Amino acid sequence: MFPTHVYIARRAQLKRTLGSGLVLFLGNREVGMNYLANPYPFRQDSTFLYYFGIDRPNLVAVIDIEHDREILFGDDLKIEDIIWMGHQPSLSEQAEAVGVREVLPMRRLLSFLKRTRRQGQLIHFLPPYRAEHVLALKDWLNIAPQKQKASASEALIRAVVAQRSYKSDEEVAEIERAVNLSVEMHMAAMRSARPGHLEAELAGMVEGIALSAGGRPAYPIILTVNGQILHNHYHGNKLEPGQLVLGDFGAETSLHYAGDLTRTFPVSPRFTTRQRDIYQVVLDAQLHALSLLRPGVRYLDVHLAAAHRIAEGLKALGLMQGDTEEAVAHGAHALFFPHGLGHMLGLDVHDMENLGEDRVGYSESQRRSTQFGTAYLRLARELEPGFVLTVEPGIYFIPSLIQQWKRKEHCAAFINYKALDRYRSFGGIRIEDNVLITKTGYRLLGEPLPKSVASIEALRAAS
Ligand code: GLY
Ligand code: MN
């Protein structure tokens, strides 16, 4: 946990921004995998962690701005719980560690909220993303599930996004710890992969590295010879010589800050010529995108600049054709690069995505593109010092997408469909790093993780 004053200051800032009302924070509950006593690993809600830091299920916190009260609702363990779970610090001790003075039993929450509503005080809450919270909001505030998203507090969402978007020094240090652990995971995968290994063996090994260090994966591990499937969580294939392995995984620390890195490497000691050529295009796009990062630049423009480099590179390889500017304007590059360049990173791997991608990644005046590919861009707004984000271009050969576009002759002026036939089983390549935007530019977070062709081949040869 961070020092007490960090949480007090975060809440003070939120109170100043909102000015009035009662803010309701729903901590997460355990979720049963097959029955409640056999739960999924517990993950506290990130906004709850941000303002209250307590990593324990079944808590609700409120900030009553008008009456200047901060209250933690929850129950201490009873002897029946202690038999199974052992002693835990008391709620009062945990509340004190984050500077909250009032602790009330959960049974008092309903009457507390009823009184607040009777008095006509505005209740701010965030859009729920878990079914238990939908039911709780129905019970406590009498808001029908289908109306809850619209009833969530726009002011609270904006205030939380405005705070959580700017990472403090202690948050950056924690994210960097997560990135460094993620680097260890990637180094282990690149050092250990051998023909004949199952993807699952490597996925299990990298997950073990996160767990052994007191962390856990920040999201389901992508480790696959089918990198063209963007979020591929299947790990049943055997690694064969000549294939590429795409690994997109990262750790979250015990404080739940995330790292999110991707590397692509050959199963054989060296890339084939064709793999190296495509890899070099992705790397060039990534390095170019990095070179553009500084405050005031719109990430949308960085995304489009990366798309431009990808289109240029593919043109040089004979897979695209025509005017590059026009090709990108028509979205032709998205056949190969159908996702966004990156996203915010913090307590969530896609930071604050539960608050709405547009509210996090787009300014009030920006409208999300409707064009295939660019429409998936999660972060488009102007960059500012303190933002932490990912830079992750890729090139993929997705057989069903190629087939669909070819059949419709979509963007045929810019794509050499005939030449593409030889690439149908190529797979995909993505390269992803995490950066902090500084006053003058950016800083790459974490220890350097090999990404040039030469450094990856050296690592593979030495293993
Ligand atoms: N690491 C997975 C993603 O960024 O979507
Ligand atoms: Mn990512």
Short mmCIF file of all heavy atoms in Angstrom, two decimals, residues 219-220 222 230-231 233 248-250 259-262 342-343 349-350 378 390 392 430 432, ligand 1:
data_model
loop_
_atom_site.label_atom_id
_atom_site.label_comp_id
_atom_site.label_asym_id
_atom_site.label_seq_id
_atom_site.Cartn_x
_atom_site.Cartn_y
_atom_site.Cartn_z
N TYR A 219 -3.52 -9.73 -17.29
CA TYR A 219 -4.61 -10.08 -18.22
C TYR A 219 -4.29 -11.47 -18.74
O TYR A 219 -3.15 -11.95 -18.59
CB TYR A 219 -4.72 -9.05 -19.37
CG TYR A 219 -3.41 -8.80 -20.08
CD1 TYR A 219 -3.08 -9.48 -21.25
CD2 TYR A 219 -2.47 -7.91 -19.56
CE1 TYR A 219 -1.87 -9.26 -21.90
CE2 TYR A 219 -1.25 -7.70 -20.19
CZ TYR A 219 -0.96 -8.37 -21.35
OH TYR A 219 0.25 -8.17 -21.97
N PRO A 220 -5.26 -12.15 -19.35
CA PRO A 220 -4.99 -13.52 -19.80
C PRO A 220 -3.83 -13.56 -20.80
O PRO A 220 -3.76 -12.74 -21.72
CB PRO A 220 -6.31 -13.93 -20.47
CG PRO A 220 -7.34 -13.05 -19.85
CD PRO A 220 -6.65 -11.74 -19.59
N ILE A 222 -1.38 -14.14 -23.71
CA ILE A 222 -1.41 -14.48 -25.14
C ILE A 222 -0.02 -15.00 -25.47
O ILE A 222 0.96 -14.26 -25.33
CB ILE A 222 -1.74 -13.23 -25.98
CG1 ILE A 222 -3.13 -12.67 -25.62
CG2 ILE A 222 -1.65 -13.55 -27.48
CD1 ILE A 222 -3.38 -11.25 -26.12
N LEU A 230 -5.83 -11.85 -32.62
CA LEU A 230 -5.29 -10.77 -31.78
C LEU A 230 -5.31 -11.11 -30.29
O LEU A 230 -4.34 -10.87 -29.59
CB LEU A 230 -6.04 -9.46 -32.04
CG LEU A 230 -5.98 -8.94 -33.48
CD1 LEU A 230 -6.65 -7.58 -33.58
CD2 LEU A 230 -4.55 -8.86 -33.99
N HIS A 231 -6.42 -11.60 -29.80
CA HIS A 231 -6.49 -11.98 -28.38
C HIS A 231 -6.64 -13.49 -28.29
O HIS A 231 -7.67 -14.01 -27.88
CB HIS A 231 -7.65 -11.26 -27.67
CG HIS A 231 -7.31 -9.86 -27.26
ND1 HIS A 231 -8.18 -9.04 -26.62
CD2 HIS A 231 -6.15 -9.16 -27.38
CE1 HIS A 231 -7.58 -7.87 -26.39
NE2 HIS A 231 -6.36 -7.92 -26.83
N HIS A 233 -6.14 -16.88 -26.70
CA HIS A 233 -5.81 -17.44 -25.39
C HIS A 233 -5.69 -18.96 -25.42
O HIS A 233 -5.62 -19.62 -24.39
CB HIS A 233 -6.86 -17.02 -24.34
CG HIS A 233 -6.95 -15.53 -24.19
ND1 HIS A 233 -8.14 -14.84 -24.10
CD2 HIS A 233 -5.98 -14.59 -24.15
CE1 HIS A 233 -7.89 -13.55 -24.01
NE2 HIS A 233 -6.59 -13.37 -24.04
N ASP A 248 2.14 -11.82 -25.81
CA ASP A 248 1.60 -10.55 -25.29
C ASP A 248 1.16 -10.84 -23.87
O ASP A 248 0.10 -11.43 -23.65
CB ASP A 248 0.42 -10.10 -26.17
CG ASP A 248 -0.23 -8.81 -25.67
OD1 ASP A 248 0.01 -8.41 -24.52
OD2 ASP A 248 -1.02 -8.22 -26.44
N PHE A 249 2.01 -10.50 -22.92
CA PHE A 249 1.66 -10.74 -21.52
C PHE A 249 2.41 -9.77 -20.64
O PHE A 249 3.42 -9.18 -21.03
CB PHE A 249 1.95 -12.19 -21.10
CG PHE A 249 3.26 -12.74 -21.58
CD1 PHE A 249 4.42 -12.49 -20.88
CD2 PHE A 249 3.33 -13.49 -22.74
CE1 PHE A 249 5.65 -13.00 -21.31
CE2 PHE A 249 4.54 -14.00 -23.19
CZ PHE A 249 5.70 -13.75 -22.48
N GLY A 250 1.88 -9.61 -19.45
CA GLY A 250 2.49 -8.70 -18.49
C GLY A 250 1.99 -9.03 -17.11
O GLY A 250 0.96 -9.68 -16.94
N GLY A 259 1.86 -4.12 -16.17
CA GLY A 259 2.75 -4.00 -17.32
C GLY A 259 2.09 -4.72 -18.48
O GLY A 259 1.27 -5.61 -18.28
N ASP A 260 2.42 -4.34 -19.71
CA ASP A 260 1.76 -4.91 -20.90
C ASP A 260 2.75 -4.88 -22.06
O ASP A 260 2.87 -3.86 -22.73
CB ASP A 260 0.50 -4.09 -21.20
CG ASP A 260 -0.25 -4.59 -22.42
OD1 ASP A 260 0.12 -5.65 -22.97
OD2 ASP A 260 -1.21 -3.91 -22.83
N LEU A 261 3.47 -5.97 -22.26
CA LEU A 261 4.51 -6.01 -23.28
C LEU A 261 4.21 -7.09 -24.31
O LEU A 261 3.63 -8.13 -23.97
CB LEU A 261 5.87 -6.33 -22.64
CG LEU A 261 6.39 -5.37 -21.57
CD1 LEU A 261 7.66 -5.92 -20.95
CD2 LEU A 261 6.63 -3.98 -22.16
N THR A 262 4.66 -6.85 -25.54
CA THR A 262 4.55 -7.88 -26.58
C THR A 262 5.87 -8.01 -27.32
O THR A 262 6.50 -6.99 -27.66
CB THR A 262 3.44 -7.53 -27.60
OG1 THR A 262 2.22 -7.29 -26.91
CG2 THR A 262 3.23 -8.68 -28.59
N GLY A 342 -2.40 1.89 -29.26
CA GLY A 342 -2.16 1.68 -27.84
C GLY A 342 -3.25 2.24 -26.96
O GLY A 342 -4.28 2.71 -27.45
N HIS A 343 -2.99 2.17 -25.66
CA HIS A 343 -4.00 2.53 -24.66
C HIS A 343 -3.30 2.99 -23.40
O HIS A 343 -2.11 2.72 -23.22
CB HIS A 343 -4.90 1.32 -24.37
CG HIS A 343 -4.11 0.06 -24.08
ND1 HIS A 343 -3.64 -0.24 -22.82
CD2 HIS A 343 -3.67 -0.93 -24.89
CE1 HIS A 343 -2.97 -1.40 -22.87
NE2 HIS A 343 -2.96 -1.84 -24.12
N VAL A 349 -5.03 -2.89 -17.15
CA VAL A 349 -4.18 -2.99 -18.34
C VAL A 349 -4.69 -2.04 -19.42
O VAL A 349 -3.88 -1.35 -20.06
CB VAL A 349 -4.03 -4.45 -18.80
CG1 VAL A 349 -5.34 -5.08 -19.18
CG2 VAL A 349 -3.07 -4.50 -19.98
N HIS A 350 -5.98 -1.99 -19.66
CA HIS A 350 -6.57 -0.91 -20.47
C HIS A 350 -7.14 0.05 -19.43
O HIS A 350 -8.28 -0.12 -18.98
CB HIS A 350 -7.70 -1.40 -21.38
CG HIS A 350 -7.24 -2.36 -22.44
ND1 HIS A 350 -8.12 -3.04 -23.24
CD2 HIS A 350 -6.00 -2.72 -22.85
CE1 HIS A 350 -7.44 -3.80 -24.09
NE2 HIS A 350 -6.15 -3.62 -23.87
N ARG A 378 -8.09 3.06 -28.90
CA ARG A 378 -8.61 3.36 -27.56
C ARG A 378 -8.15 4.72 -27.05
O ARG A 378 -8.78 5.32 -26.21
CB ARG A 378 -8.12 2.29 -26.56
CG ARG A 378 -8.70 0.93 -26.85
CD ARG A 378 -8.31 -0.06 -25.76
NE ARG A 378 -9.23 -1.17 -25.77
CZ ARG A 378 -9.04 -2.30 -26.44
NH1 ARG A 378 -7.95 -2.48 -27.14
NH2 ARG A 378 -9.95 -3.25 -26.40
N THR A 390 0.72 2.40 -23.85
CA THR A 390 1.40 1.37 -24.63
C THR A 390 1.57 1.85 -26.07
O THR A 390 0.76 2.65 -26.56
CB THR A 390 0.62 0.04 -24.66
OG1 THR A 390 -0.58 0.23 -25.45
CG2 THR A 390 0.20 -0.43 -23.27
N GLU A 392 2.03 -0.17 -29.55
CA GLU A 392 1.98 -1.57 -29.97
C GLU A 392 1.44 -1.79 -31.38
O GLU A 392 0.37 -2.36 -31.56
CB GLU A 392 1.15 -2.39 -28.98
CG GLU A 392 -0.20 -1.81 -28.60
CD GLU A 392 -0.96 -2.73 -27.65
OE1 GLU A 392 -1.03 -3.94 -27.92
OE2 GLU A 392 -1.50 -2.23 -26.65
N ARG A 430 3.56 -8.45 -33.47
CA ARG A 430 3.27 -7.20 -32.74
C ARG A 430 4.46 -6.93 -31.83
O ARG A 430 5.10 -7.87 -31.33
CB ARG A 430 1.97 -7.37 -31.92
CG ARG A 430 1.62 -6.18 -31.05
CD ARG A 430 0.14 -6.18 -30.58
NE ARG A 430 -0.23 -7.26 -29.71
CZ ARG A 430 -0.97 -8.30 -30.04
NH1 ARG A 430 -1.41 -8.41 -31.28
NH2 ARG A 430 -1.27 -9.24 -29.17
N GLU A 432 5.37 -4.37 -28.55
CA GLU A 432 4.71 -3.45 -27.62
C GLU A 432 5.62 -3.07 -26.46
O GLU A 432 6.21 -3.93 -25.81
CB GLU A 432 3.44 -4.13 -27.05
CG GLU A 432 2.73 -3.32 -25.98
CD GLU A 432 1.44 -3.99 -25.49
OE1 GLU A 432 1.33 -5.22 -25.61
OE2 GLU A 432 0.55 -3.26 -25.00
N1 GLY B 1 -2.45 -6.73 -23.92
C1 GLY B 1 -3.66 -6.89 -24.60
C2 GLY B 1 -4.19 -5.62 -25.13
O1 GLY B 1 -3.58 -4.58 -25.00
O2 GLY B 1 -5.30 -5.62 -25.64
#
